[in-house]
Amino acid sequence: MSRIRFTRRLPVAVTAAGLALAVAACGGESSTSAAGANPAAADELKPNADLSQQTLQVTVWEGYIPEELPQMVKTKLKVKDMKVALHDTNETAMTKLTAPGDSGIDVAFVSGQYAQALNEMGLLEPIHPELIPNLANLYPEATQLSYDKGNRYSVPYTWGTTGICYRTDLVKAPPTSWNDILKPPAWADKKVTMMTTERWLALPALKALGYSVNTDKDDEIAKAKELLTAQKPHLLTYDDTTFGDRLKSGESVMAEAWDGWCPTTEKKGNIAFKVPKEGSDLWVDTMVIMKSSKNKEAAHALINYILDPEIHSWAAENINYKVPNKAAMDRVQIAKGSLLGVKPADLLDGESIIDLGAASTKYSRLSEEVTAG
């Protein structure tokens, strides 16, 4: 499988805090629960609309869809044109999508908590299931995501979890707990890496302490900060993108990692991935349709096309992330050591990260203070 590097979750600055401000600027309220979200009223769409009169503008991470997809869509769906704008982070996309005026974007790829925030701002068109028959290809578990139960305003594209990626030949004992990297043993001192992206920096400490990854309680966040601050002198470095390379070279022996980026399929077979006993998250990247889109029928047709098993399986085969599409995953040849075979039910054991609105600034502050200097 090819491995494409892209900064799908790296913060430009303080991203979640910006979301809270954007919600306020739009006159809305951000909630800490997806259950309270009120999607905007759906437009009346035409199932048999002439797509040749519609164009598509999509914003997505680099390397996250096939390069030839625009031409495939124009040929298959007969849309007039499809253009792709790239964003390097969720935050870059949010700046584009929440700016005053029409962004011109029809379909956006953003992570689940950001889809939730956009919906709470009234910026998303509710999903019209009758225009996306390939929704039937999704696993039943894909309709139970806490930020958007029932896929009312978003359609999941990829999903996975976070855990400990490690060198089986360089650890004296396989890690089983988040404390194995938060309080590394002497043989792993300065040979551990952690991620700095706000919510994922906090995740190991919160889970080790028995707290929710979505907590907004000051005392719990403060205790997590204490644990992360005490860990810092024992780290090799903070690394969100090249931790796999450090493991392969032997520079590090354990790393906090997203499952898809843990190089468990390396020929040497000496790298493994473990979800600690205290539990972890369930992250989801989604496709959403902007309320401002003037091409909503084409937007639905695009999502339906992406959910075709032949198209959707590309993501699993090329970026090594699981897709919540049973028909697509059935097409994928899973290599030895690959994490693509993890069952959806096991993924749902993870806690979905949701938008925390104004409370997100607490995680921004934690990240800044822990990693400073």
Side-chain angles (χ1 to χ4, degrees):
M1 292 183 183
S2 61
R3 296 299 303 281
I4 298 175
R5 289 282 185 201
F6 55 95
T7 51
R8 59 181 298 282
R9 285 186 175 76
L10 304 188
V12 174
V14 177
T15 61
L19 294 186
L21 294 175
V23 172
C26 290
E29 293 182 1
S30 181
S31 108
T32 57
S33 170
N38 294 310
D43 287 347
E44 185 175 345
L45 303 185
K46 301 175 182 178
N48 298 315
D50 182 2
L51 300 187
S52 68
Q53 300 304 307
Q54 297 190 24
T55 60
L56 285 170
Q57 176 88 346
V58 177
T59 185
V60 63
W61 296 280
E62 182 176 7
Y64 221 46
I65 57 175
E67 288 184 6
E68 62 272 21
L69 185 63
Q71 185 58 50
M72 294 164 64
V73 166
K74 286 192 287 183
T75 301
K76 182 72 174 180
L77 303 182
K78 309 302 182 185
V79 297
K80 189 175 182 179
D81 193 20
M82 175 177 165
K83 289 184 168 54
V84 175
L86 300 178
H87 57 255
D88 56 353
T89 67
N90 277 297
E91 295 72 35
T92 303
M94 291 299 289
T95 298
K96 183 187 309 181
L97 299 172
T98 60
D102 183 0
S103 67
I105 298 297
D106 300 294
V107 176
F109 286 70
V110 293
S111 296
Q113 66 268 38
Y114 295 84
Q116 179 191 346
L118 286 168
N119 182 63
E120 291 176 345
M121 293 183 225
L123 297 180
L124 297 185
E125 172 70 15
I127 296 298
H128 296 247
E130 68 277 10
L131 298 184
I132 311 180
N134 281 337
L135 285 170
N137 292 331
L138 296 179
Y139 289 104
E141 290 87 348
T143 68
Q144 300 303 311
L145 304 169
S146 63
Y147 63 86
D148 181 19
K149 288 191 174 182
N151 310 129
R152 295 170 302 152
Y153 54 82
S154 65
V155 175
Y157 179 68
T158 55
W159 60 359
T161 190
T162 308
I164 300 175
C165 188
Y166 65 98
R167 280 284 296 265
T168 57
D169 56 333
L170 298 180
V171 298
K172 291 189 176 180
T176 59
S177 166
W178 285 117
N179 284 314
D180 291 325
I181 60 172
L182 291 167
K183 302 174 182 178
W187 52 263
D189 194 56
K190 297 188 182 302
K191 294 182 180 180
V192 172
T193 65
M194 284 278 289
M195 295 191 292
T196 57
T197 308
E198 295 164 7
R199 302 291 293 277
W200 282 272
L201 170 64
L203 186 152
L206 292 172
K207 285 299 184 183
L209 293 166
Y211 303 147
S212 167
V213 70
N214 295 309
T215 184
D216 61 358
K217 296 179 180 178
D218 291 337
D219 59 332
E220 293 183 352
I221 294 174
K223 289 178 181 177
K225 177 186 171 184
E226 289 178 12
L227 194 51
L228 292 168
T229 301
Q231 174 204 38
K232 186 175 179 178
H234 303 286
L235 291 178
L236 169 63
T237 190
Y238 295 101
D239 184 353
D240 293 66
T241 56
T242 63
F243 50 75
D245 294 331
R246 294 180 189 275
L247 285 165
K248 285 187 284 186
S249 71
E251 184 182 7
S252 67
V253 299
M254 293 188 289
E256 180 195 8
W258 293 303
D259 49 358
W261 277 16
C262 181
T264 56
T265 57
E266 287 296 305
K267 291 183 180 180
K268 291 182 179 180
N270 58 1
I271 296 179
F273 179 85
K274 176 69 176 179
V275 175
K277 61 184 180 182
E278 298 91 351
S280 188
D281 66 333
L282 166 59
W283 61 258
V284 185
D285 287 338
T286 75
M287 299 175 283
V288 298
I289 298 173
M290 301 306 296
K291 187 73 176 172
S292 58
S293 169
K294 299 176 178 63
N295 308 285
K296 293 186 177 71
E297 288 92 352
H300 280 81
L302 171 63
I303 292 176
N304 188 63
Y305 183 58
I306 289 174
L307 293 183
D308 181 279
E310 184 176 355
I311 306 302
H312 208 178
S313 60
W314 178 94
E317 293 170 340
N318 286 271
I319 57 178
N320 211 28
Y321 279 156
K322 294 175 286 295
V323 298
N325 183 325
K326 183 181 187 304
M329 290 303 298
D330 285 346
R331 296 175 56 91
V332 177
Q333 293 186 350
I334 300 176
K336 181 180 179 181
S338 172
L339 302 172
L340 292 175
V342 176
K343 296 179 180 179
D346 293 334
L347 279 179
L348 246 64
D349 286 340
E351 185 180 9
S352 293
I353 295 178
I354 63 173
D355 174 49
L356 297 177
S360 297
T361 58
K362 298 177 182 180
Y363 286 92
S364 304
R365 190 160 50 248
L366 177 148
S367 178
E368 291 173 350
E369 293 175 352
V370 168
T371 63

